[in-house]
Amino acid sequence: MLKKSTAAFMIVAALLCGSLLTLGVTGYADIFGQAAGESAAAAVVPSGGLQEKESQKLGTAMSLIEGYYYQDVDRTKLIDGAVNGMMEALGDPYSNYMGKETAEKFEESIEGSFSGIGAEVSSDNGKVVIVSPIKGSPAEKAGLQAKDVILSVNGETLEGKELNAAVAKIRGPKGSKATLKIQRTGSAEPLEFVLTRDDVKLETVYAKLGKDGVGIIGVTQFSMNTAERFEEELGKLEKQGMKGLVIDVRNDPGGVLPVVIEMAEQFVAKGKAIVQVEQKGKPTEVSKSAGSSKNYPVVVLMNKGSASASEILAGALQQSAGAKLIGENSFGKGTVQTSFDKQLGDGSLLKITIAKWLTPNGTWIHGKGIKPDIAVAQPDYFSVAPINKSVTLQYNMNSADVKSAQTMLDGLGYKPGRKDGYFDSATKDAVKKFQSASKLKVTGSIDAKTAEALELALIKVIQDPVNDNQLNKGIAEVQKEIQASSSKK
């Protein structure tokens, strides 16, 4: 899991998805004992490598290319390409090769800061897929979602590009624009998102105490300092008289394994299992808690962007601490990666899947995710596609953009009466009311200014906790358990 990073976008490392569960910096055999910042098997390379015939074959290929290719070639690029080819041949989206520059970005993300559009991505059957947008990032603000497929960036297709090259296209200087074409399940046509790249300093833990003594802690990813920050914030809430806790790992793509174990120990009774890890040729390792349980109710919020370390935490708290899971089915990443950098000797890095992890009861959630105890969907306008602003939407039109506009109007309380994409008179009246309230020219048509105003107004509605069905259900469930506990005293 473990090294990693990640309703708006910032893309930093893309590879991180693979790191969703990277044993991060240590070999698995020593993962529970070594410092989290060490490089896996830094000085040890397994026996094997190229056999004489294999080495000769590669050397011959290099000689033929250099001798006969019609242009001069860059040997470094050829070697990098060969290593990349080996990793891609594994057919594992979480095993990657990173050149020196990409590896540096990867390490930055582990430490909790990076720049880009603010989303974690992975490669799946040749497609660049969003694992999760980062909280507060350009990606989240633009409305990008887990499972979205990025088709192109600024008009350049990502088809056929290996993940490092795709990430390089998505990244860019702070303030620059990235126009993404996105394929989203349920949408017949690709969606277009225009994002402004930005720097991201990732604060991984957010906490507050709500009414009735219900504490809320949001975790955006499991970076090196996340367990320490979590413990600090949890301690503050407990000192303030917290009676129950909601842990929010929605859109959290994962992070460092020892970190999530340390966090889980704050809720799982001593001796109970937190996670199991199976590695080739070795007995299953069971990480058991050295901590203690809590005397207050805990629920965990998750969604399809909750991956890897988030799923480990959710599974551990559900099965070993009695916590309820609320929201949507999680992402489904049940493998463990570690990274090897010093062995390559040139600043590049290999991130390799070395094991799979199981929940305390032995379930492998890879490709399936974890089902919530209480399924709760967000309002439809939480996932509405942006409106194409190059076309003015008018009466009697029928399109996906009209459907998006109707969904936005309905979410804002203007009640167009339908959300099927047909621009009828009721939709026109709703548009006029919105334009009037927004001090726009009242035309009943949706031009670029009206579309932009709709989207900005909707962002405010989405960001208002009052409209967060999953959070509200989590709080209500904790309140119910607090009341039930009080009645027994």
Side-chain angles (χ1 to χ4, degrees):
M1 168 181 105
L2 290 112
K3 283 182 153 191
K4 78 165 288 38
S5 82
T6 329
F9 246 101
M10 209 171 139
I11 235 172
V12 80
L15 306 184
L16 282 185
C17 179
S19 307
L20 289 197
L21 187 65
T22 299
L23 284 187
V25 284
T26 64
Y28 174 67
D30 301 313
I31 187 61
F32 302 113
Q34 288 185 303
E38 266 180 70
S39 195
V44 180
V45 177
S47 59
L50 292 174
Q51 298 177 3
E52 184 177 351
K53 287 185 178 180
E54 295 167 336
S55 180
Q56 184 180 34
K57 180 177 181 178
L58 291 177
T60 299
M62 175 73 83
S63 295
L64 290 171
I65 292 169
E66 288 187 312
Y68 292 100
Y69 189 65
Y70 79 107
Q71 292 180 335
D72 291 338
V73 297
D74 183 329
R75 288 178 63 90
T76 299
K77 286 186 177 180
L78 292 180
I79 295 299
D80 284 351
V83 179
N84 244 326
M86 283 192 282
M87 300 308 292
E88 290 182 354
L90 294 174
D92 176 9
Y94 304 112
S95 293
N96 313 102
Y97 170 71
M98 304 177 214
K100 181 178 180 180
E101 182 178 349
T102 304
E104 289 173 351
K105 296 293 184 182
F106 176 80
E107 295 296 338
E108 288 175 10
S109 68
I110 301 296
E111 297 303 322
S113 64
F114 47 82
S115 61
I117 61 173
E120 168 121 12
V121 301
S122 69
S123 177
D124 187 3
N125 293 322
K127 297 178 179 179
V128 178
V129 181
I130 294 172
V131 174
S132 178
I134 295 171
K135 183 178 178 63
S137 70
E140 185 190 41
K141 294 173 182 175
L144 289 167
Q145 301 177 17
K147 306 289 187 179
D148 280 349
V149 177
I150 305 176
L151 303 176
S152 66
V153 180
N154 292 334
E156 185 171 350
T157 180
L158 298 186
E159 183 178 359
K161 291 188 182 297
E162 55 91 19
L163 190 56
N164 292 358
V167 173
K169 296 297 180 184
I170 299 170
R171 284 204 198 101
K174 177 180 178 179
S176 62
K177 298 288 186 181
T179 300
L180 306 184
K181 282 288 182 65
I182 298 294
Q183 184 65 59
R184 178 174 295 170
T185 301
S187 178
E189 298 295 329
L191 309 175
E192 183 174 290
F193 294 79
V194 180
L195 297 84
T196 301
R197 299 181 179 99
D198 200 356
D199 292 334
V200 169
K201 177 62 179 176
L202 189 60
E203 170 56 68
T204 61
V205 180
Y206 299 84
K208 67 177 183 179
L209 185 64
K211 61 181 181 179
D212 298 328
V214 178
I216 301 168
I217 299 183
V219 183
T220 60
Q221 79 170 48
F222 297 84
S223 295
M224 292 301 188
N225 69 340
T226 301
E228 180 182 350
R229 288 284 299 112
F230 186 90
E231 186 174 8
E232 288 175 1
E233 295 300 331
L234 181 62
K236 290 178 183 177
L237 292 176
E238 290 177 338
K239 288 179 180 178
Q240 294 175 48
M242 182 179 70
K243 300 177 182 178
L245 178 64
V246 175
I247 301 175
D248 187 352
V249 293
R250 292 176 296 176
N251 293 324
D252 181 335
V256 183
L257 182 57
V259 170
V260 70
I261 290 173
E262 185 177 346
M263 290 171 63
E265 284 184 319
Q266 297 178 57
F267 302 93
V268 176
K270 184 176 181 178
K272 287 195 172 184
I274 292 175
V275 64
Q276 302 184 42
V277 180
E278 293 184 355
Q279 192 175 15
K280 181 173 65 177
K282 297 183 179 181
T284 299
E285 284 278 349
V286 180
S287 175
K288 294 184 178 181
S289 177
S292 60
S293 59
K294 298 293 185 181
N295 60 0
Y296 50 75
V298 177
V299 303
V300 179
L301 303 184
M302 62 184 194
N303 63 8
K304 60 184 178 181
S306 303
S308 195
S310 297
E311 294 171 296
I312 289 178
L313 183 67
L317 267 58
Q318 179 196 47
Q319 296 177 12
S320 294
K324 287 186 179 178
L325 308 184
I326 295 176
E328 303 166 353
N329 205 79
S330 63
F331 184 87
K333 181 181 180 295
T335 55
V336 178
Q337 286 71 41
T338 193
S339 31
F340 300 86
D341 53 359
K342 292 180 174 58
Q343 295 88 338
L344 300 180
D346 62 355
S348 60
L349 179 150
L350 281 181
K351 183 162 59 62
I352 300 175
T353 297
I354 63 167
K356 65 181 184 180
W357 67 265
L358 314 174
T359 62
N361 68 9
T363 301
W364 193 37
I365 59 89
H366 197 67
K368 303 186 291 285
I370 300 176
K371 291 183 179 180
D373 296 303
I374 304 175
V376 180
Q378 297 288 49
D380 57 0
Y381 58 81
F382 269 60
S383 57
V384 66
I387 300 169
N388 181 358
K389 299 170 186 63
S390 65
V391 177
T392 296
L393 307 180
Q394 306 178 65
Y395 175 72
N396 210 33
M397 290 180 68
N398 195 339
S399 70
D401 284 312
V402 173
K403 182 177 180 179
S404 291
Q406 290 170 331
T407 302
M408 293 179 191
L409 287 164
D410 187 69
L412 293 170
Y414 289 95
K415 305 303 177 186
R418 63 195 306 161
K419 290 183 281 186
D420 60 0
Y422 176 63
F423 202 129
D424 63 355
S425 58
T427 300
K428 185 174 182 178
D429 289 341
V431 172
K432 286 182 175 180
K433 291 177 182 178
F434 172 77
Q435 289 172 327
S436 178
S438 304
K439 295 180 171 53
L440 298 169
K441 185 177 180 180
V442 179
T443 63
S445 298
I446 302 175
D447 58 5
K449 285 187 177 180
T450 300
E452 184 176 355
L454 276 170
E455 292 174 357
L456 290 174
L458 191 67
I459 288 174
K460 293 181 180 179
V461 171
I462 291 173
Q463 292 176 340
D464 188 339
V466 171
N467 302 311
D468 189 335
N469 290 348
Q470 294 165 348
L471 175 60
N472 291 331
K473 180 61 177 177
I475 292 172
E477 192 64 26
V478 170
Q479 290 173 332
K480 184 173 73 174
E481 293 190 32
I482 291 172
Q483 293 171 0
S485 177
S486 297
S487 65
K488 294 177 182 179
K489 294 180 180 179

